[in-house]
Structures are given as structure tokens and as C-alpha cells.
């Protein structure tokens, strides 16, 4: 697969809530950047993924980085650095594997849009 849609910036977050409180994540720190390609959906991207209880907004493929987790935030843009008003996405699921076309190591990332505050 050709990764030519734009740039994906992955940010780590920190839980700043007091012990025992509901998690509150702040402080985005750049963790990884890569070109990305969009993956297709087997169903409409606005359908609820019942087993995860989230609305999937996008599925992308990036060059493999096993440090990407479902606790990170992704920003997709056509320029670097991403503009401040670029939408952010929670990473819901990450699959680390190999591209079926060329055998290169990849990470497939499922994204959920973060609601505007």
C-alpha cells in the first residue's frame, strides 16, 4: 500500500488526575510521525463498533512503530507541523503486522474523533 494521504502525528498523553479520580489526560507530547494511507471500511465508518462501544471515524496505515498504543492521540494533516485547529483522534486499536503487497512492517490504526470542548 502506498502511504501518500498525508502526515500522521502520534502524541502521548499523561494522566494528570489525582489517584482514585476519573482519568484526565493532558499534555500532548510528540511520539511519532509518519506518512499514512487510508484503509477501507467493511461497514460505514459512522457505525458503532459494538465490541468496543465507539464510533470509528477513520482507519489508517503507517510505517510500523510498536510504541503506538490505544492510549495515544493522532492528528492527520497535509503539512508538518499540523495546524493547531486540526482535528484530533483517540487511537482505539492498533494492529502491528506486515503489508500484504510488499511485506514491509506496518501499523494499522483505528481512530475515534475527539469531541470538541
Amino acid at each position: 500500500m502506498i502511504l501518500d494521504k498525508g502526515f500522521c502525528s502520534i502524541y502521548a498523553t499523561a494522566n494528570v488526575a489525582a489517584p482514585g479520580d476519573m482519568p484526565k489526560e493532558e499534555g500532548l507530547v510528540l511520539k511519532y510521525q509518519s506518512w499514512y494511507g487510508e484503509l477501507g471500511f467493511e461497514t460505514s465508518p459512522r457505525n458503532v463498533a459494538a465490541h468496543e462501544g465507539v464510533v470509528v471515524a477513520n482507519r489508517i496505515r503507517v510505517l510500523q512503530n510498536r510504541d503506538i498504543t490505544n492510549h495515544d492521540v493522532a492528528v492527520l494533516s497535509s503539512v508538518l507541523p499540523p495546524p493547531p485547529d486540526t482535528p484530533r483522534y483517540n487511537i482505539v486499536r492498533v494492529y502491528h503486522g506486515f503489508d500484504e503487497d510488499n511485506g514491509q512492517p506496518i501499523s494499522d490504526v483505528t481512530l475515534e474523533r475527539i469531541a470538541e470542548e
Side-chain angles (χ1 to χ4, degrees), residues 1-3 36-40 60-61 99-102 108:
M1 173 178 200
I2 298 174
L3 306 178
Y36 78 93
E38 287 188 330
L39 296 171
I60 63 169
R61 176 169 288 178
D99 189 294
E100 57 279 353
D101 294 337
N102 59 26
D108 289 346

Side-chain angles (χ1 to χ4, degrees), residues 9-23:
S9 300
I10 306 289
Y11 297 90
T13 58
N15 183 0
V16 296
D21 288 348
M22 291 292 290

Side-chain angles (χ1 to χ4, degrees), residues 4 40 46 58-59 68 89 102 116:
D4 63 352
R46 299 301 304 162
N58 205 344
R59 287 185 61 232
I68 299 171
Y89 299 88
N102 59 26
E116 299 295 325

